[in-house]
Amino acid sequence: MNKATFALTAIAAVTFAQNVSAFQKGDWVIRAGFASVVPDESSSNIVVGSDLGVNVGVESNTQLALNLAYFITDKVNVEVLAATPFKHDVNFGVSDPLGTGDQLGEVTHLPPTVTVNYFFADSASKFQPYVGAGLNYTLFFDEDFTSANQSAGLSDLSLDNSFGIAAQIGADYMFSDEWFLNGSIRWIDIDTEASFQLGGAAGSVDSIEIDPWVYSITIGYRF
Ligand code: NI
């Protein structure tokens, strides 16, 4: 290495070092950790022929979360949220009309979400907060009544898939050029409708708004 090459390399190294914490156009980011889906739900009443006067509730669940993002500019990325399937207990709202206990059943879902995020901090900052908005598709599967409810005549539970908007705030804290810690809070509009059979009669819950807050903590890697 001659002196001129050495000088250029040194200048390049210093220039690069000054930018260590900033995301840049073309960066890929992968983050892995945990996400909790905490429903802020409301539902209409269970109807089988007539209104049973009882609605349903959906409990929280935590799973492994994975997300991948690509920076389309220095300040904007497009992020896809994936996770292992969330499994939620579904309970009777206030009382249990069939005498089978408080839990009605459980449902499993995957909520893939695509978000466009804007990073607004100074590019030299190790702390990189962002806001984002996007779209969610929630796929429900493995919907089951508890065995007590199956014995009471309930069967064929099915929830419609949901398509809706999502919004989030989050932040990355850079430990190094590659590694960082991320926290985010999202809100997802997840609305569904349940259908089932009770002793051969068709039943439904016409409106179930799950509308969860999703809290996640992940470790990120930039490449
Ligand atoms: Ni909603």
Side-chain angles (χ1 to χ4, degrees):
M1 187 182 284
N2 64 34
K3 279 181 185 166
T5 312
F6 179 80
L8 285 173
T9 307
I11 289 165
V14 168
T15 306
F16 185 68
Q18 283 169 344
N19 288 331
V20 304
S21 53
F23 289 118
Q24 287 172 335
K25 180 182 175 181
D27 282 352
W28 284 93
V29 161
I30 188 162
R31 305 187 187 97
F34 294 95
S36 278
V37 172
V38 180
D40 181 21
E41 86 279 22
S42 63
S43 99
S44 60
N45 287 342
I46 303 171
V47 174
V48 187
S50 62
D51 186 328
L52 300 191
V54 176
N55 67 356
V56 297
V58 181
E59 301 300 303
S60 302
N61 190 242
T62 299
Q63 291 292 333
L64 295 173
L66 191 68
N67 75 53
L68 187 66
Y70 178 74
F71 280 79
I72 55 175
T73 77
D74 291 350
K75 295 281 191 186
V76 175
N77 75 17
V78 177
E79 179 196 338
V80 178
L81 169 71
T84 48
F86 292 93
K87 193 175 280 234
H88 297 267
D89 287 352
V90 179
N91 296 336
F92 289 112
V94 283
S95 65
D96 147 23
L98 299 175
T100 52
D102 289 337
Q103 190 182 345
L104 180 56
E106 70 177 23
V107 297
T108 306
H109 73 88
L110 275 174
T113 304
V114 176
T115 313
V116 176
N117 302 297
Y118 175 68
F119 287 68
F120 48 85
D122 184 283
S123 63
S125 174
K126 285 184 186 326
F127 183 68
Q128 290 288 329
Y130 56 88
V131 292
L135 294 171
N136 163 265
Y137 188 77
T138 297
L139 193 72
F140 290 97
F141 54 99
D142 282 352
E143 305 101 319
D144 283 313
F145 289 111
T146 61
S147 52
N149 283 295
Q150 289 174 29
S151 302
L154 285 167
S155 65
D156 300 316
L157 178 61
S158 173
L159 268 66
D160 287 354
N161 295 337
S162 167
F163 182 69
I165 59 163
Q168 70 169 341
I169 56 169
D172 290 299
Y173 183 81
M174 320 298 291
F175 296 126
S176 72
D177 204 26
E178 286 92 23
W179 294 96
F180 50 93
L181 178 69
N182 176 273
S184 83
I185 301 175
R186 289 165 200 272
W187 180 82
I188 306 179
D189 189 20
I190 302 178
D191 302 331
T192 183
E193 178 177 343
S195 59
F196 59 90
Q197 298 279 316
L198 174 58
S204 66
V205 183
D206 291 336
S207 168
I208 304 174
E209 302 234 7
I210 300 176
D211 298 349
W213 293 93
V214 181
Y215 303 94
S216 67
I217 294 285
T218 54
I219 296 290
Y221 182 77
R222 177 238 305 259
F223 55 98

